[in-house]
Amino acid sequence: MSDFRPAPAPSDLAFIRFVSVANMMKLIHRIGVETMLADLVRYIEDDFRRWPLFDKTPRVASHSAVGVIELMPTSDGEVYGFKYVNGHPKNTREGLQTVTAFGLLARVDTGYPVLLSEMTMLTALRTAATSAMVARHLAPKGSRTMAMIGNGAQSEFQALAMRKVCGIEELRLYDIDARATEKTVANLRDRGFVLTPCKTAEQAIEGAQIVTTCTADKQYATILTDNMVGSGVHINAIGGDCPGKTELHRDILARSDVFVEYTPQTRIEGEIQQMPDDFPVTEMWQVLTGAAPGRTSDRQITLFDGVGFAIEDFSALRYVRDRLDDTGDYECLDIIADPDDARDLFGMLERARPGNGKS
Amino acid sequence: MSDFRPAPAPSDLAFIRFVSVANMMKLIHRIGVETMLADLVRYIEDDFRRWPLFDKTPRVASHSAVGVIELMPTSDGEVYGFKYVNGHPKNTREGLQTVTAFGLLARVDTGYPVLLSEMTMLTALRTAATSAMVARHLAPKGSRTMAMIGNGAQSEFQALAMRKVCGIEELRLYDIDARATEKTVANLRDRGFVLTPCKTAEQAIEGAQIVTTCTADKQYATILTDNMVGSGVHINAIGGDCPGKTELHRDILARSDVFVEYTPQTRIEGEIQQMPDDFPVTEMWQVLTGAAPGRTSDRQITLFDGVGFAIEDFSALRYVRDRLDDTGDYECLDIIADPDDARDLFGMLERARPGNGKS
């Protein structure tokens, strides 16, 4: 082109905020992990209370022999969000994370992304916050002891959230791999819990008002059998979260009142995949809005069949977005081509030609 | 924690390659836009030839009153890819892009992302490359003249791809907004085309063997009416790409042999949304593999009802990935939390605590 036009600097709209793993950890430490867990409980609870207005869809899964890659989109009409997440149980044996994730928020009115964030760390926090939010509404009053079966990457976050939100003081820990329990004990030993490593799942459950199951094998397992579970407990079953992966014997489900996030997704992925399609469940948002009862008696077994739902990620991303202005824990990413003339993408490319004012 | 462990530097696995808009433009100029278009035709054609082995799903759309945000995933069993893309026709009036996009590739065996790339620029190239690949198989032999109705952001890329791959030398340009045509003429004037701005769509079509329609209004429009289209042309209809948005009168469809990317998606989004559900179409991969005929006579009207499919984005991302090693046009993004012990995400967070060897 003969008329010279200097290459314009990208406009503000061309950038989105990016929270790297390093910045996410900085943000968590700045806020404090327990405070952030409590904050996330509040954000998730707020979004569950306005549940009906969300665009809801079961996650879009791409399955392979060794794992799954999923996209989890949702929208509240103003903000759109989605999470990319994989689940590869065999990764642990290769020194990789079973679950890695990242997420995005965008404006519904323009479709422009505004935030990209790591979500491996953030998912660990939101999963724990969701469990704690549910337990606050369903666990027996005065719960002080939690059994934690499966002491992997979720365990410390679950423990801290359950203490902060539900008052849990004692943790009874069991894992088929004793080193996992040692790791959890080491990570939590200076944090004021009574920590009791256990040799069996049966032993771990003794005296616990809340039982958390969070194991990672992709198979039909029976972490808990029916005779192990007494009356008056809350079971926080979060490890069974994909087709073919369950943790509880079906007889426990039959004796429990089962609470879920989003029924169509949980019927495919949760513990209730073992049950008939009309097995009765209550969605947690109904408990929060008063549309359905939560715990109704001391002897009742309440069971949260948690699989993780897109709205929880949306809440977590909203929270991160809201905290970035005052923390500065982000970078700017040049991921949107935003030419001065929207119809002139080619001209933008031409003006960026090396030697044309921009290298 | 009492035992000091230095914060480890993130491993290579913790990083994914990121191609920003600036780096994408650098890459395009390094390779040359026309060479890159021809390369993309080859990559897309390769993937269309192995079509049956792809995991195919219609895009996952979140619609609002003013636009749509979509996720387009696919996988060939070894590599998983998806694109985020919005479509907001009214954006142009606000100085924003109608379409912005980014994409990702990940390993199916671990679920770990490996490449994140801007795709606003890249989508423009892959859309043009797809049109050219289709036209190479369907357009009349010896095509030299293309009518281009709609002179927006796609127009220059379409022109260059059609010349490189199909030998187009003359462009007959029409847009309801004369300034759009002026912009296209200015961008292409030094590139050796015969450029003919036209005052009407009818005038643009005169003598053209290929007719490209690429307008952006989200409505049922009639850019071409039946009496305008003579025999022996190839129509490259790429503007109608969402529910409620079409460009051609249905009588043209009835007279044409219609070729599509992925039938279930095109029936929802393409020109054929105007036709009955059993309206016959041919998928392009069938033409490429010889399973179905392409153009069979000089007088036939072939019509590519292009809406853009996930596999084309997958091909484009594969191409970018393959060119990064020798160009270095990327940054590294710390988006995967990759602790040395996969079960010890909390320990990774603790070791990153300010004052613990990492700020």
Side-chain angles (χ1 to χ4, degrees):
Chain A
M1 291 178 54
S2 53
D3 54 331
F4 174 75
R5 294 167 70 180
S11 77
D12 285 351
L13 290 167
F15 291 104
I16 73 173
R17 289 177 173 188
F18 167 59
V19 181
S20 65
V21 176
N23 270 324
M24 181 61 74
M25 295 195 294
K26 212 184 274 186
L27 184 72
I28 295 169
H29 286 301
R30 190 188 297 276
I31 295 167
V33 60
E34 291 181 57
T35 304
M36 186 157 160
L37 285 164
D39 289 348
L40 287 171
V41 166
R42 198 160 37 84
Y43 268 68
I44 295 168
E45 208 168 271
D46 285 350
D47 284 341
F48 271 55
R49 285 184 199 282
R50 59 195 188 113
W51 187 270
L53 68 76
F54 277 90
D55 199 2
K56 287 173 287 291
T57 171
R59 57 183 106 201
V60 183
S62 177
H63 291 278
S64 70
V66 292
V68 63
I69 296 176
E70 302 171 327
L71 300 174
M72 302 167 69
T74 192
S75 163
D76 70 359
E78 290 185 10
V79 178
Y80 169 94
F82 84 87
K83 179 166 82 167
Y84 167 102
V85 60
N86 75 298
H88 285 69
K90 59 92 196 166
N91 272 8
T92 310
R93 293 192 291 277
E94 298 162 19
L96 303 174
Q97 284 290 116
T98 300
V99 171
T100 66
F102 69 89
L104 179 114
L105 291 182
R107 292 174 56 138
V108 168
D109 62 345
T110 63
Y112 272 45
V114 293
L115 172 69
L116 178 73
S117 175
E118 87 81 34
M119 284 193 82
T120 310
M121 281 287 172
L122 191 60
T123 296
L125 269 72
R126 79 85 162 120
T127 300
T130 302
S131 285
M133 181 204 76
V134 171
R136 178 157 73 180
H137 292 276
L138 297 182
K141 291 284 162 255
S143 294
R144 290 291 170 267
T145 302
M146 175 163 78
M148 193 141 50
I149 300 176
N151 302 151
Q154 252 297 292
S155 57
E156 297 90 349
F157 299 101
Q158 286 281 333
L160 293 172
M162 287 292 189
R163 179 169 66 191
K164 183 78 177 177
V165 176
C166 306
I168 288 298
E169 294 167 350
E170 180 180 359
L171 299 173
R172 300 180 64 82
L173 304 164
Y174 172 71
D175 196 291
I176 46 168
D177 182 349
R179 287 168 304 175
T181 305
E182 283 166 27
K183 176 231 40 163
T184 301
V185 168
N187 280 333
L188 294 179
R189 65 184 168 199
D190 294 333
R191 290 183 172 264
F193 288 101
V194 177
L195 298 169
T196 309
C198 299
K199 297 221 176 306
T200 63
E202 287 82 349
Q203 190 190 345
I205 288 167
E206 280 171 28
Q209 294 90 30
I210 299 179
V211 177
T212 291
T213 58
C214 186
T215 61
D217 263 333
K218 186 177 179 176
Q219 58 183 27
Y220 294 107
T222 309
I223 311 298
L224 294 184
T225 54
D226 189 33
N227 62 334
M228 289 164 68
V229 179
S231 64
V233 302
H234 173 65
I235 302 174
N236 175 41
I238 57 171
D241 63 354
C242 64
K245 182 167 172 240
T246 59
E247 296 184 316
L248 307 182
H249 193 283
R250 65 191 307 283
D251 289 350
I252 298 174
L253 301 174
R255 283 169 60 208
S256 305
D257 288 304
V258 176
F259 297 82
V260 303
E261 291 141 313
Y262 180 57
T263 312
Q265 181 175 305
T266 309
R267 292 220 187 267
I268 297 168
E269 302 176 357
E271 296 297 327
I272 58 170
Q273 64 188 277
Q274 305 178 71
M275 307 305 276
D277 284 350
D278 59 353
F279 180 76
V281 297
T282 303
E283 294 193 340
M284 268 315 293
W285 71 274
Q286 299 176 292
V287 176
L288 290 174
T289 59
R295 173 169 290 274
T296 51
S297 95
D298 287 348
R299 297 192 51 78
Q300 185 184 16
I301 302 172
T302 52
L303 192 156
F304 174 49
D305 189 359
V307 297
F309 188 59
I311 292 176
E312 297 147 21
D313 302 310
F314 183 90
S315 312
L317 288 168
R318 274 206 306 121
Y319 176 74
V320 168
R321 179 200 63 191
D322 291 352
R323 296 307 299 264
L324 289 185
D325 273 338
D326 52 307
T327 63
D329 293 331
Y330 63 92
E331 300 154 57
C332 284
L333 222 58
D334 164 29
I335 200 168
I336 301 173
D338 186 60
D340 23 333
D341 176 353
R343 291 174 307 191
D344 197 12
L345 199 61
F346 188 80
M348 177 182 174
L349 175 64
E350 277 306 290
R351 290 188 289 280
R353 180 185 289 281
N356 202 354
K358 187 165 180 176
S359 71
Chain B
M1 290 178 56
S2 52
D3 54 330
F4 175 74
R5 294 166 71 179
S11 77
D12 285 353
L13 290 166
F15 292 103
I16 72 174
R17 290 177 173 188
F18 168 59
V19 182
S20 65
V21 176
N23 269 324
M24 182 61 74
M25 295 195 294
K26 213 184 272 185
L27 183 72
I28 296 168
H29 286 302
R30 190 188 297 275
I31 296 168
V33 60
E34 291 179 57
T35 303
M36 185 157 161
L37 285 163
D39 288 347
L40 287 171
V41 166
R42 198 159 38 83
Y43 268 67
I44 294 168
E45 208 167 90
D46 285 349
D47 284 340
F48 271 55
R49 285 184 200 281
R50 57 194 191 115
W51 187 271
L53 68 77
F54 278 90
D55 198 3
K56 289 173 286 291
T57 171
R59 57 184 107 201
V60 183
S62 177
H63 292 278
S64 69
V66 293
V68 64
I69 295 176
E70 301 171 326
L71 299 174
M72 303 167 70
T74 192
S75 164
D76 69 0
E78 289 185 11
V79 179
Y80 169 93
F82 83 89
K83 179 166 82 166
Y84 168 102
V85 59
N86 75 299
H88 286 70
K90 59 91 197 168
N91 272 6
T92 310
R93 291 191 294 278
E94 299 162 18
L96 302 175
Q97 284 289 116
T98 300
V99 172
T100 67
F102 69 89
L104 178 114
L105 291 182
R107 292 174 57 140
V108 168
D109 61 346
T110 63
Y112 271 46
V114 293
L115 172 70
L116 178 73
S117 176
E118 87 81 37
M119 286 194 80
T120 310
M121 281 286 171
L122 192 59
T123 297
L125 268 73
R126 80 85 160 120
T127 301
T130 302
S131 284
M133 181 204 75
V134 171
R136 177 157 74 179
H137 292 275
L138 298 181
K141 292 285 163 254
S143 293
R144 289 291 171 269
T145 303
M146 175 164 77
M148 193 139 51
I149 300 176
N151 302 151
Q154 250 298 293
S155 58
E156 297 90 350
F157 299 100
Q158 286 282 332
L160 293 172
M162 288 291 191
R163 178 171 65 191
K164 183 78 177 178
V165 176
C166 305
I168 288 297
E169 295 168 349
E170 180 180 359
L171 298 174
R172 301 180 64 82
L173 303 164
Y174 172 71
D175 196 292
I176 46 167
D177 182 350
R179 288 168 305 176
T181 306
E182 284 165 26
K183 174 229 44 162
T184 301
V185 168
N187 280 332
L188 294 178
R189 66 184 168 199
D190 294 332
R191 289 183 170 263
F193 288 100
V194 176
L195 297 168
T196 310
C198 299
K199 297 222 176 303
T200 63
E202 287 82 350
Q203 189 191 344
I205 288 167
E206 280 170 27
Q209 294 90 30
I210 299 178
V211 178
T212 290
T213 58
C214 187
T215 61
D217 264 333
K218 185 177 179 176
Q219 59 183 26
Y220 294 107
T222 308
I223 310 298
L224 295 184
T225 54
D226 190 33
N227 62 333
M228 290 164 67
V229 179
S231 63
V233 301
H234 173 66
I235 302 174
N236 175 41
I238 57 171
D241 64 355
C242 64
K245 182 167 173 238
T246 59
E247 296 184 314
L248 308 181
H249 194 283
R250 66 191 307 282
D251 289 352
I252 299 175
L253 300 174
R255 283 168 59 208
S256 304
D257 288 303
V258 176
F259 298 82
V260 303
E261 291 141 314
Y262 180 57
T263 312
Q265 181 175 306
T266 311
R267 291 220 188 270
I268 297 168
E269 302 174 357
E271 296 297 327
I272 58 170
Q273 65 187 276
Q274 305 178 71
M275 308 306 275
D277 284 350
D278 60 351
F279 180 76
V281 298
T282 303
E283 294 193 340
M284 268 314 293
W285 71 274
Q286 300 176 290
V287 177
L288 289 173
T289 59
R295 173 169 289 274
T296 51
S297 95
D298 287 349
R299 297 192 51 77
Q300 184 185 17
I301 302 172
T302 51
L303 192 155
F304 174 48
D305 188 0
V307 297
F309 188 58
I311 292 176
E312 296 147 21
D313 302 309
F314 182 90
S315 313
L317 288 168
R318 274 205 308 121
Y319 177 74
V320 168
R321 179 201 62 189
D322 290 351
R323 295 307 301 264
L324 289 186
D325 272 339
D326 52 307
T327 63
D329 293 333
Y330 63 92
E331 300 155 57
C332 285
L333 222 57
D334 164 30
I335 200 169
I336 300 172
D338 186 59
D340 24 334
D341 175 353
R343 292 173 306 191
D344 197 12
L345 199 62
F346 188 80
M348 178 183 174
L349 176 63
E350 277 306 291
R351 290 188 288 281
R353 179 184 291 279
N356 202 355
K358 189 168 179 174
S359 70

